[in-house]
Amino acid sequence: MKDTASKSSGTGGRRRGYRGLSAEELRKQRYQRLISAGTELFGERGYAATPIEAVCTHAKVSTRHFYEQFEGRESILHAVHAELVTRMDDIVRTSLTEARTPLTQRVADTIEAAVFFLLEEPRRGRILCIEAVGVSEVMEKKRRETTHDLAEIIRRYATMMAENGVLPSRDYHLPSVALVGMFNELIAEWLTEDTGLSAMEMAREAKIMFRAMIFGAQHYQPTDSASDSDPLDNQPGKSA
């Protein structure tokens, strides 16, 4: 009897359910289908216009199984937001570790790659830069954390540029936060208005703006400087 019972339990003792998958494997599949459905619907219809039932129908998952994974609609928005941020973070870190490229070029290329990631599939940019805004205090806190995480990466590399003599030595936290905010608004503008630019062209525009800000930072004057003169006033061809 013991031998028979042992064999009936299956290989490894794991019970198999639908299509030979374990309960945990089925759960992971349902989770990924829900995340994919949330990304598609929140990015196309908008978060406010997408009820839980629509997400479940699109994912072919029952509402009972939905609530096994998520507390509610905002909960899945958090998960979708987190997955997109993780994917973008992977792109940023991979691009920044391309050691064969000069540091300033590396950061500029990284900004271009991150912006293109959000615009190549517009649903990504819409969720991160539009749909997640103003949902709740909890969601706003997550958005601020993401902003600060991205700004910290920029600040760290700006400090490295300063150490290499490319930029003046200063605290680059606030300029880094400003850069993240600028790129958010550029993405939102591209998504909601007719800029006349393709996704790649807009990503390159962001890269050009970053280079322009690097040029401006090279002429940085501390706010407590006794001189109010603008270094750019002394550029050749500048009219009086």
Side-chain angles (χ1 to χ4, degrees):
M1 291 294 293
K2 288 183 179 179
D3 289 342
T4 302
S6 176
K7 290 179 181 179
S8 65
S9 63
T11 303
R14 292 194 304 170
R15 295 179 60 187
R16 293 285 168 173
Y18 182 65
R19 292 182 178 175
L21 300 175
S22 69
E24 182 59 23
E25 288 169 337
L26 288 169
R27 182 180 180 279
K28 287 179 180 179
Q29 281 194 0
R30 287 192 293 268
Y31 179 87
Q32 286 303 322
R33 293 207 304 273
L34 286 166
I35 292 295
S36 296
T39 302
E40 184 171 341
L41 296 180
F42 294 156
E44 291 181 357
R45 300 183 185 182
Y47 172 72
T50 305
I52 289 173
E53 292 76 13
V55 175
C56 292
T57 299
H58 199 78
K60 295 181 173 58
V61 172
S62 70
T63 53
R64 177 176 68 84
H65 284 134
F66 175 92
Y67 283 108
E68 287 178 359
Q69 309 261 10
F70 303 103
E71 294 180 0
R73 187 176 58 156
E74 186 176 334
S75 176
I76 190 174
L77 176 64
H78 291 177
V80 168
H81 184 276
E83 177 159 301
L84 290 175
V85 169
T86 297
R87 291 175 63 187
M88 183 171 65
D89 187 66
D90 288 343
I91 289 171
V92 167
R93 293 183 187 280
T94 299
S95 181
L96 285 174
T97 54
E98 177 52 67
R100 293 171 296 180
T101 306
L103 183 59
T104 304
Q105 179 68 34
R106 206 185 314 163
V107 177
D109 289 346
T110 299
I111 288 170
E112 181 180 23
V115 172
F116 183 67
F117 167 74
L118 296 178
L119 299 184
E120 178 189 24
E121 173 46 76
R123 289 174 291 198
R124 300 169 187 162
R126 185 174 181 86
I127 290 169
L128 291 187
C129 300
I130 297 176
E131 295 304 321
V133 178
V135 170
S136 69
E137 289 185 11
V138 174
M139 190 71 247
E140 281 302 299
K141 183 178 179 181
K142 288 182 181 295
R143 289 185 63 251
R144 295 304 303 161
E145 288 172 354
T146 299
T147 294
H148 287 138
D149 288 345
L150 292 172
E152 175 55 23
I153 294 173
I154 295 173
R155 185 206 64 77
R156 189 163 65 248
Y157 278 84
T159 300
M160 291 171 63
M161 289 184 216
E163 292 170 351
N164 291 340
V166 177
L167 293 176
S169 180
R170 63 159 295 178
D171 183 354
Y172 282 96
H173 170 68
L174 290 178
S176 298
V177 172
L179 268 175
V180 175
M182 179 185 77
F183 294 135
N184 273 338
E185 287 303 311
L186 280 176
I187 291 165
E189 182 73 8
W190 188 86
L191 290 167
T192 59
E193 305 293 337
D194 181 10
T195 64
L197 300 178
S198 67
M200 180 57 74
E201 288 169 338
M202 192 62 169
R204 287 174 180 162
E205 190 73 12
K207 181 178 181 177
I208 291 169
M209 291 182 186
F210 170 74
R211 287 184 171 279
M213 292 189 73
I214 290 295
F215 174 79
Q218 289 170 341
H219 298 278
Y220 162 75
Q221 293 290 334
T223 54
D224 59 354
S225 173
S227 173
D228 290 330
S229 64
D230 186 343
L232 296 181
D233 287 339
N234 299 321
Q235 295 293 313
K238 182 79 172 181
S239 59

